[in-house]
Amino acid sequence: MRAIIFDGTEATVRDDWPEPQPRDGEVLLAVRVAGVCRTDLEVLAGYMGFSGVMGHEFVGEVLNGTGADAGPSGRVVAEINCPCGACDMCRRGAPNHCRTRPVLGIDRHDGVFAERVVVPAGSVHAVPETVSDEAAVFVEPLAAAFRILEQVAVTGEMRVLVLGDGRLGQLIARVLSRRAGELMLVGRHAGKLALAGAHGITTARADAFESAADADVVVDATGTPQGFTTALAAVRPQGTLVLKSTFAAEGGLNLAPVVVDEVTVVGSRCGPFDRAIEALATGRIDPTDLVSARFALSEGVAALEAAGNRDNLKVLIDVA
Amino acid sequence: MRAIIFDGTEATVRDDWPEPQPRDGEVLLAVRVAGVCRTDLEVLAGYMGFSGVMGHEFVGEVLNGTGADAGPSGRVVAEINCPCGACDMCRRGAPNHCRTRPVLGIDRHDGVFAERVVVPAGSVHAVPETVSDEAAVFVEPLAAAFRILEQVAVTGEMRVLVLGDGRLGQLIARVLSRRAGELMLVGRHAGKLALAGAHGITTARADAFESAADADVVVDATGTPQGFTTALAAVRPQGTLVLKSTFAAEGGLNLAPVVVDEVTVVGSRCGPFDRAIEALATGRIDPTDLVSARFALSEGVAALEAAGNRDNLKVLIDVA
């Protein structure tokens, strides 16, 4: 079959990749549309030492299931973590933190930039008819945005700041703006800020933003160490800093303000698919205007390059 | 009067420092015993750009109060933050985070390494007769240890790790060991670990400690960037890392595990004096075996040097 393969050095489109074979408890899916995430670009840079079929954001269609719990049929999305069900974190009810989890297209499990993919049957969620493929491909990142509401009690009295006007920052701003008393999205790109503004979100240019250290909650979705420092300066004493960016500070990083101001830093990763699907099905969130470009699977290398261009938001890959 | 003065360059004992004059709402105290804290050593290194009378841990005696709310008489301890009572953080009920607070011996307020000191009347707490001067001087750091219990719900099902066998780490281990299911203190000094062991606390040498990434709560009281990295490796996914150390990482610092493992990092500073005083009064906590050395106020420079010696735990200064 056709797939985008990362061999540890470079990504290429190959037409001779072996068909995946579902084992007991797994389902075989035909990928319809996939989305490129920043994590895919990190994989290209060596993240997790991954090699194989790239990609983890997608909507597909069930071709066949095996075993008793084969899951739904029709159009589906699937969680990216493949939990063991037996380790301490799985038993604790946190399968996304399974100690040995492979992760689609990121860690020891082939991903979704391919004509077909195999996933655990328990990872699959049905997509309602009212949700288009273009919307459904956002379920995974939208769930990551909703994850914040599971971790932090955002209320109508709160002032919330979202740093980063990229794909994830845009989704987070749309989700949190329905809960927060005040919300502002701070970014570096006029066009992206204008898009958020069209959704009624207050925005500010990063170079013109002046912190009053009075935000109850600051979400760092910049993907840069500078974002963390800006977030620390913007949060009020005893406030909450939600960290969505995985980064390693190459220079120094001053954590003293975390202690002096008793800030709570909350790491935040994968979230509830059901809430994301519901928000798409009811139309409360429509992410489809975040799509900047679409490519065929055969143009996969160009799709990855386009996703690396900071002028673009979401890049989609049409597979079927 | 006699006082230890930091002039921005060096600390000296002076006998000609002007007597402090209480204003309305302030009380004049005679210092009886003071304690040297790591923060005092940071002041010597330039922290907060402080100059004046050093020191903030002490027990004293009320000489006279002015105004209607002159506070208690007799032996007292006093909070280190001097809140304005009017800013947003004071109105929020968080006077320790007052936006403009001077801090005894740390920021724009003369401290307690002196024969006499003036403090806000509202900052003063009476010391019960059953609490010796040697114990009372630990109220401020012991309150900082109790602060953790205000921020994190430590239960009997939890595995807690305290990193750092210094003054604060020892107090934290004694406080948390009464709540946690399991607690281990990890440090670098055999003698300090033996002292904790004498209190029934399980200990491990840092160079022999192997993390299983399974601690529900890790408290970093090492004061080093390495401590933070060790703490991150030791905490379980979705666990809590309490940060008591103010440090600036000079090299790189990788915060990606905070996100990937959804760790909550809780900055923790000043705590409840009333709980600390009660624990000392009932004898539940007896910190006096942490005293390594005592100096007269006239030997103040030697006291600061002794506190900088890692072999020592608490160094006291006898004033009266």
Side-chain angles (χ1 to χ4, degrees):
Chain A
M1 66 173 184
R2 180 170 291 172
I4 305 177
I5 306 300
F6 182 63
D7 63 5
T9 306
E10 62 174 355
T12 51
V13 176
R14 287 177 53 175
D15 288 329
D16 60 348
W17 196 254
E19 289 281 341
Q21 303 295 330
R23 291 170 300 183
D24 195 42
E26 292 181 331
V27 286
L28 177 66
L29 308 177
V31 178
R32 294 170 62 91
V33 181
V36 185
C37 170
R38 179 180 294 148
T39 306
D40 298 316
L41 306 180
E42 291 172 2
V43 164
L44 292 177
Y47 182 58
M48 300 301 289
F50 179 78
S51 64
V53 180
M54 298 180 66
H56 59 277
E57 297 178 2
F58 79 113
V59 55
E61 193 162 2
V62 177
L63 292 178
N64 71 301
T66 65
D69 53 354
S73 58
R75 286 193 310 146
V76 297
V77 290
E79 313 238 2
I80 71 172
N81 301 291
C82 305
C84 72
C87 72
D88 63 327
M89 293 307 300
C90 283
R91 290 199 309 274
R92 205 183 268 276
N96 285 344
H97 290 280
C98 169
R99 298 281 187 176
T100 61
R101 66 186 183 277
V103 185
L104 297 190
I106 294 172
D107 189 14
R108 292 167 291 131
H109 195 300
D110 274 346
V112 302
F113 294 166
E115 292 177 288
R116 280 163 293 280
V117 62
V118 157
V119 300
S123 298
V124 166
H125 298 255
V127 175
E129 279 188 21
T130 53
V131 179
S132 68
D133 282 351
E134 293 69 33
V137 77
F138 284 93
V139 166
E140 198 274 336
L142 184 58
F146 273 107
R147 174 65 178 149
I148 296 170
L149 293 180
E150 293 184 327
Q151 299 176 290
V152 181
V154 176
T155 70
E157 288 73 46
M158 286 187 176
R159 190 172 296 183
V160 174
L161 209 59
V162 178
L163 305 183
D165 55 10
R167 303 175 269 267
L168 187 54
Q170 297 271 351
L171 292 173
I172 291 168
R174 292 184 194 187
V175 167
L176 297 189
S177 65
R178 308 181 142 269
R179 290 287 193 93
E182 294 176 35
L183 182 138
M184 182 181 279
L185 176 68
V186 179
R188 299 190 180 279
H189 308 85
K192 296 179 183 179
L193 293 175
L195 182 64
H199 285 262
I201 292 165
T202 305
T203 64
R205 287 288 295 255
D207 51 12
F209 171 70
E210 287 186 20
S211 161
D214 62 354
D216 298 288
V217 176
V218 180
V219 181
D220 175 21
T222 61
T224 68
Q226 293 75 14
F228 182 76
T229 299
T230 303
L232 253 191
V235 71
R236 70 164 170 83
Q238 297 187 318
T240 301
L241 194 169
V242 178
L243 196 53
K244 275 289 185 188
S245 300
T246 55
F247 65 87
E250 292 175 2
L253 195 63
N254 186 4
L255 290 188
V258 173
V259 178
V260 173
D261 291 333
E262 292 193 316
V263 172
T264 296
V265 180
V266 178
S268 181
R269 189 165 46 88
C270 298
F273 271 44
D274 49 357
R275 283 177 84 164
I277 292 169
E278 190 204 354
L280 295 173
T282 60
R284 278 194 297 124
I285 305 271
D286 178 3
T288 54
D289 59 0
L290 294 173
V291 176
S292 295
R294 304 183 70 143
F295 293 83
L297 182 56
S298 59
E299 304 167 313
V301 176
L304 294 172
E305 284 173 7
N309 180 339
R310 286 267 175 180
D311 288 336
N312 283 327
L313 283 161
K314 182 58 76 182
V315 171
L316 299 187
I317 299 174
D318 291 300
V319 178
Chain B
M1 66 174 184
R2 180 171 290 172
I4 306 176
I5 305 301
F6 183 62
D7 63 6
T9 306
E10 62 174 355
T12 52
V13 177
R14 287 176 52 176
D15 288 329
D16 60 348
W17 196 254
E19 289 282 340
Q21 303 295 330
R23 292 169 300 182
D24 195 39
E26 293 181 332
V27 287
L28 178 67
L29 308 177
V31 177
R32 293 169 61 92
V33 181
V36 185
C37 171
R38 180 180 293 148
T39 306
D40 298 316
L41 306 180
E42 291 172 2
V43 164
L44 291 177
Y47 182 58
M48 301 301 289
F50 179 78
S51 64
V53 180
M54 299 179 65
H56 59 276
E57 297 178 2
F58 79 114
V59 53
E61 192 162 2
V62 177
L63 292 179
N64 70 300
T66 65
D69 52 355
S73 58
R75 284 194 311 146
V76 296
V77 290
E79 313 238 2
I80 71 172
N81 300 291
C82 305
C84 73
C87 72
D88 63 326
M89 293 308 299
C90 283
R91 291 198 310 274
R92 205 183 267 277
N96 285 345
H97 290 280
C98 168
R99 298 281 187 174
T100 61
R101 65 185 184 277
V103 185
L104 297 190
I106 295 172
D107 189 13
R108 292 167 290 130
H109 195 299
D110 274 347
V112 303
F113 294 164
E115 291 177 288
R116 281 164 292 279
V117 62
V118 157
V119 300
S123 298
V124 165
H125 297 257
V127 175
E129 278 187 21
T130 52
V131 179
S132 68
D133 282 349
E134 291 69 33
V137 77
F138 283 92
V139 166
E140 198 275 335
L142 184 58
F146 273 107
R147 174 65 178 149
I148 296 170
L149 293 180
E150 293 185 326
Q151 299 176 291
V152 181
V154 176
T155 70
E157 288 73 46
M158 287 186 176
R159 190 171 296 184
V160 175
L161 209 60
V162 179
L163 305 183
D165 56 10
R167 301 175 270 268
L168 187 55
Q170 297 271 351
L171 292 173
I172 291 168
R174 293 184 192 186
V175 167
L176 297 189
S177 65
R178 308 181 143 269
R179 291 284 194 94
E182 294 177 35
L183 182 138
M184 181 182 279
L185 176 68
V186 179
R188 300 191 178 279
H189 309 85
K192 296 180 184 180
L193 293 175
L195 182 63
H199 285 263
I201 293 166
T202 305
T203 64
R205 286 289 293 254
D207 51 13
F209 171 70
E210 287 186 22
S211 162
D214 62 354
D216 299 288
V217 176
V218 180
V219 181
D220 174 20
T222 61
T224 67
Q226 293 76 13
F228 181 77
T229 300
T230 303
L232 254 190
V235 72
R236 70 164 169 84
Q238 297 187 318
T240 301
L241 195 170
V242 179
L243 195 54
K244 275 288 186 190
S245 300
T246 55
F247 66 85
E250 292 174 4
L253 194 63
N254 185 4
L255 291 188
V258 173
V259 178
V260 172
D261 291 334
E262 292 192 318
V263 172
T264 296
V265 180
V266 177
S268 181
R269 189 166 46 90
C270 298
F273 271 44
D274 50 355
R275 283 177 83 163
I277 292 170
E278 190 205 351
L280 295 173
T282 60
R284 278 195 296 127
I285 305 271
D286 178 3
T288 54
D289 58 0
L290 295 173
V291 176
S292 296
R294 304 182 71 143
F295 293 83
L297 182 57
S298 58
E299 306 167 312
V301 175
L304 294 173
E305 284 172 8
N309 180 340
R310 286 267 174 181
D311 289 336
N312 284 325
L313 283 160
K314 182 59 75 181
V315 171
L316 299 187
I317 299 174
D318 291 299
V319 179

Short mmCIF file of all heavy atoms in Angstrom, two decimals, chain B residues 221-258:
data_model
loop_
_atom_site.label_atom_id
_atom_site.label_comp_id
_atom_site.label_asym_id
_atom_site.label_seq_id
_atom_site.Cartn_x
_atom_site.Cartn_y
_atom_site.Cartn_z
N ALA B 221 13.58 19.90 47.55
CA ALA B 221 14.12 20.89 48.49
C ALA B 221 15.64 20.89 48.42
O ALA B 221 16.33 21.14 49.39
CB ALA B 221 13.64 20.58 49.91
N THR B 222 16.16 20.60 47.22
CA THR B 222 17.62 20.51 47.06
C THR B 222 18.27 21.86 46.83
O THR B 222 19.44 22.03 47.14
CB THR B 222 17.98 19.62 45.85
OG1 THR B 222 17.43 20.22 44.68
CG2 THR B 222 17.44 18.21 46.01
N GLY B 223 17.52 22.77 46.21
CA GLY B 223 18.12 24.05 45.86
C GLY B 223 19.01 23.99 44.64
O GLY B 223 19.79 24.91 44.40
N THR B 224 18.89 22.93 43.85
CA THR B 224 19.74 22.79 42.67
C THR B 224 18.90 22.41 41.46
O THR B 224 17.88 21.74 41.59
CB THR B 224 20.80 21.69 42.86
OG1 THR B 224 20.12 20.42 42.92
CG2 THR B 224 21.59 21.89 44.14
N PRO B 225 19.34 22.82 40.25
CA PRO B 225 18.63 22.38 39.04
C PRO B 225 18.65 20.87 38.89
O PRO B 225 17.70 20.27 38.38
CB PRO B 225 19.41 23.06 37.90
CG PRO B 225 20.14 24.19 38.55
CD PRO B 225 20.42 23.75 39.95
N GLN B 226 19.71 20.22 39.34
CA GLN B 226 19.78 18.76 39.27
C GLN B 226 18.65 18.14 40.07
O GLN B 226 18.10 17.11 39.69
CB GLN B 226 21.13 18.25 39.80
CG GLN B 226 22.34 18.63 38.95
CD GLN B 226 22.77 20.08 39.13
OE1 GLN B 226 22.33 20.75 40.06
NE2 GLN B 226 23.60 20.57 38.24
N GLY B 227 18.30 18.77 41.18
CA GLY B 227 17.22 18.26 42.01
C GLY B 227 15.91 18.23 41.26
O GLY B 227 15.14 17.26 41.34
N PHE B 228 15.65 19.28 40.47
CA PHE B 228 14.42 19.33 39.70
C PHE B 228 14.38 18.21 38.67
O PHE B 228 13.35 17.54 38.50
CB PHE B 228 14.29 20.69 39.00
CG PHE B 228 13.03 20.84 38.21
CD1 PHE B 228 11.82 21.10 38.84
CD2 PHE B 228 13.03 20.71 36.83
CE1 PHE B 228 10.64 21.23 38.12
CE2 PHE B 228 11.86 20.84 36.09
CZ PHE B 228 10.67 21.10 36.74
N THR B 229 15.50 17.97 38.01
CA THR B 229 15.55 16.91 37.01
C THR B 229 15.37 15.54 37.66
O THR B 229 14.63 14.69 37.15
CB THR B 229 16.89 16.98 36.25
OG1 THR B 229 16.97 18.26 35.61
CG2 THR B 229 17.00 15.90 35.21
N THR B 230 16.00 15.34 38.81
CA THR B 230 15.81 14.09 39.55
C THR B 230 14.36 13.92 39.97
O THR B 230 13.78 12.83 39.88
CB THR B 230 16.72 14.07 40.80
OG1 THR B 230 18.07 14.24 40.40
CG2 THR B 230 16.58 12.76 41.57
N ALA B 231 13.76 15.01 40.43
CA ALA B 231 12.36 14.96 40.87
C ALA B 231 11.44 14.59 39.71
O ALA B 231 10.53 13.77 39.86
CB ALA B 231 11.95 16.31 41.47
N LEU B 232 11.69 15.17 38.54
CA LEU B 232 10.86 14.87 37.36
C LEU B 232 10.97 13.40 36.99
O LEU B 232 9.99 12.79 36.55
CB LEU B 232 11.32 15.72 36.17
CG LEU B 232 10.44 16.89 35.75
CD1 LEU B 232 10.93 17.45 34.41
CD2 LEU B 232 8.97 16.52 35.67
N ALA B 233 12.16 12.84 37.14
CA ALA B 233 12.35 11.43 36.80
C ALA B 233 11.69 10.51 37.82
O ALA B 233 11.35 9.37 37.51
CB ALA B 233 13.84 11.12 36.70
N ALA B 234 11.51 11.01 39.05
CA ALA B 234 11.01 10.14 40.12
C ALA B 234 9.50 10.16 40.26
O ALA B 234 8.91 9.23 40.80
CB ALA B 234 11.65 10.54 41.45
N VAL B 235 8.86 11.24 39.78
CA VAL B 235 7.41 11.36 39.97
C VAL B 235 6.69 10.49 38.95
O VAL B 235 7.16 10.30 37.83
CB VAL B 235 6.98 12.84 39.86
CG1 VAL B 235 7.05 13.34 38.43
CG2 VAL B 235 5.59 13.05 40.46
N ARG B 236 5.56 9.92 39.36
CA ARG B 236 4.80 9.09 38.43
C ARG B 236 4.02 9.97 37.44
O ARG B 236 3.79 11.15 37.72
CB ARG B 236 3.84 8.18 39.19
CG ARG B 236 2.67 8.89 39.83
CD ARG B 236 1.57 7.89 40.23
NE ARG B 236 0.55 8.48 41.06
CZ ARG B 236 -0.50 9.18 40.59
NH1 ARG B 236 -0.63 9.41 39.30
NH2 ARG B 236 -1.39 9.67 41.42
N PRO B 237 3.59 9.40 36.31
CA PRO B 237 2.71 10.16 35.42
C PRO B 237 1.50 10.66 36.20
O PRO B 237 0.95 9.94 37.04
CB PRO B 237 2.31 9.13 34.36
CG PRO B 237 3.44 8.15 34.34
CD PRO B 237 3.93 8.07 35.76
N GLN B 238 1.10 11.90 35.94
CA GLN B 238 -0.02 12.56 36.62
C GLN B 238 0.25 12.75 38.11
O GLN B 238 -0.67 13.03 38.88
CB GLN B 238 -1.33 11.80 36.40
CG GLN B 238 -1.73 11.77 34.93
CD GLN B 238 -3.11 11.19 34.70
OE1 GLN B 238 -3.49 10.20 35.32
NE2 GLN B 238 -3.87 11.79 33.80
N GLY B 239 1.51 12.66 38.52
CA GLY B 239 1.87 12.93 39.90
C GLY B 239 2.14 14.41 40.13
O GLY B 239 1.99 15.24 39.22
N THR B 240 2.55 14.74 41.36
CA THR B 240 2.76 16.13 41.75
C THR B 240 4.20 16.36 42.19
O THR B 240 4.73 15.60 42.99
CB THR B 240 1.81 16.49 42.92
OG1 THR B 240 0.46 16.29 42.50
CG2 THR B 240 2.00 17.95 43.34
N LEU B 241 4.81 17.39 41.65
CA LEU B 241 6.16 17.78 42.01
C LEU B 241 6.07 19.11 42.75
O LEU B 241 5.68 20.12 42.16
CB LEU B 241 7.02 17.90 40.75
CG LEU B 241 8.54 17.97 40.88
CD1 LEU B 241 9.19 17.83 39.50
CD2 LEU B 241 9.02 19.23 41.54
N VAL B 242 6.38 19.11 44.03
CA VAL B 242 6.35 20.34 44.82
C VAL B 242 7.73 20.96 44.78
O VAL B 242 8.72 20.33 45.16
CB VAL B 242 5.94 20.06 46.28
CG1 VAL B 242 5.95 21.36 47.08
CG2 VAL B 242 4.57 19.40 46.33
N LEU B 243 7.78 22.20 44.31
CA LEU B 243 9.06 22.88 44.12
C LEU B 243 9.27 23.87 45.26
O LEU B 243 8.53 24.85 45.39
CB LEU B 243 9.05 23.59 42.76
CG LEU B 243 10.36 24.07 42.17
CD1 LEU B 243 11.39 22.95 42.10
CD2 LEU B 243 10.12 24.65 40.78
N LYS B 244 10.26 23.58 46.11
CA LYS B 244 10.60 24.46 47.23
C LYS B 244 11.89 25.20 46.96
O LYS B 244 12.26 26.09 47.71
CB LYS B 244 10.76 23.63 48.51
CG LYS B 244 9.46 23.34 49.25
CD LYS B 244 8.92 24.59 49.93
CE LYS B 244 7.71 24.31 50.80
NZ LYS B 244 7.07 25.58 51.26
N SER B 245 12.61 24.81 45.93
CA SER B 245 13.92 25.37 45.65
C SER B 245 13.79 26.52 44.67
O SER B 245 13.21 26.35 43.61
CB SER B 245 14.82 24.33 45.00
OG SER B 245 15.01 23.22 45.84
N THR B 246 14.33 27.67 45.02
CA THR B 246 14.45 28.74 44.03
C THR B 246 15.82 28.63 43.40
O THR B 246 16.84 28.71 44.06
CB THR B 246 14.30 30.12 44.68
OG1 THR B 246 15.25 30.23 45.73
CG2 THR B 246 12.92 30.31 45.24
N PHE B 247 15.81 28.39 42.09
CA PHE B 247 17.09 28.29 41.39
C PHE B 247 16.88 28.74 39.95
O PHE B 247 15.76 28.74 39.44
CB PHE B 247 17.61 26.85 41.40
CG PHE B 247 16.75 25.90 40.63
CD1 PHE B 247 16.90 25.74 39.26
CD2 PHE B 247 15.74 25.18 41.27
CE1 PHE B 247 16.08 24.88 38.55
CE2 PHE B 247 14.93 24.33 40.56
CZ PHE B 247 15.09 24.19 39.20
N ALA B 248 17.96 29.13 39.33
CA ALA B 248 17.94 29.41 37.90
C ALA B 248 18.84 28.39 37.24
O ALA B 248 20.01 28.24 37.62
CB ALA B 248 18.42 30.83 37.62
N ALA B 249 18.29 27.64 36.29
CA ALA B 249 19.09 26.65 35.58
C ALA B 249 20.04 27.38 34.64
O ALA B 249 19.61 28.17 33.82
CB ALA B 249 18.19 25.71 34.80
N GLU B 250 21.31 27.11 34.79
CA GLU B 250 22.27 27.78 33.91
C GLU B 250 22.41 27.01 32.62
O GLU B 250 22.53 27.59 31.56
CB GLU B 250 23.62 27.91 34.62
CG GLU B 250 23.53 28.89 35.80
CD GLU B 250 24.82 28.94 36.61
OE1 GLU B 250 25.79 28.27 36.21
OE2 GLU B 250 24.83 29.65 37.63
N GLY B 251 22.37 25.70 32.72
CA GLY B 251 22.38 24.90 31.51
C GLY B 251 20.96 24.70 31.02
O GLY B 251 20.05 25.42 31.41
N GLY B 252 20.77 23.72 30.16
CA GLY B 252 19.43 23.47 29.65
C GLY B 252 18.55 22.78 30.68
O GLY B 252 19.05 22.20 31.65
N LEU B 253 17.26 22.90 30.50
CA LEU B 253 16.32 22.24 31.40
C LEU B 253 15.20 21.69 30.52
O LEU B 253 14.59 22.44 29.76
CB LEU B 253 15.77 23.26 32.40
CG LEU B 253 15.04 22.71 33.62
CD1 LEU B 253 15.97 21.89 34.49
CD2 LEU B 253 14.48 23.86 34.44
N ASN B 254 14.95 20.41 30.61
CA ASN B 254 13.96 19.79 29.73
C ASN B 254 12.62 19.68 30.44
O ASN B 254 12.45 18.87 31.34
CB ASN B 254 14.46 18.41 29.30
CG ASN B 254 13.54 17.77 28.28
OD1 ASN B 254 12.57 18.39 27.83
ND2 ASN B 254 13.83 16.54 27.92
N LEU B 255 11.67 20.51 30.02
CA LEU B 255 10.34 20.48 30.62
C LEU B 255 9.39 19.55 29.88
O LEU B 255 8.24 19.40 30.28
CB LEU B 255 9.74 21.88 30.69
CG LEU B 255 10.39 22.86 31.66
CD1 LEU B 255 9.56 24.13 31.76
CD2 LEU B 255 10.53 22.24 33.04
N ALA B 256 9.84 18.92 28.79
CA ALA B 256 8.96 18.04 28.02
C ALA B 256 8.30 16.96 28.88
O ALA B 256 7.12 16.67 28.71
CB ALA B 256 9.72 17.43 26.84
N PRO B 257 9.03 16.35 29.85
CA PRO B 257 8.36 15.32 30.67
C PRO B 257 7.17 15.86 31.47
O PRO B 257 6.26 15.10 31.80
CB PRO B 257 9.48 14.85 31.62
CG PRO B 257 10.76 15.17 30.90
CD PRO B 257 10.47 16.43 30.14
N VAL B 258 7.19 17.15 31.80
CA VAL B 258 6.04 17.73 32.51
C VAL B 258 4.78 17.57 31.66
O VAL B 258 3.70 17.23 32.16
CB VAL B 258 6.29 19.22 32.83
CG1 VAL B 258 5.04 19.87 33.42
CG2 VAL B 258 7.47 19.39 33.78
#
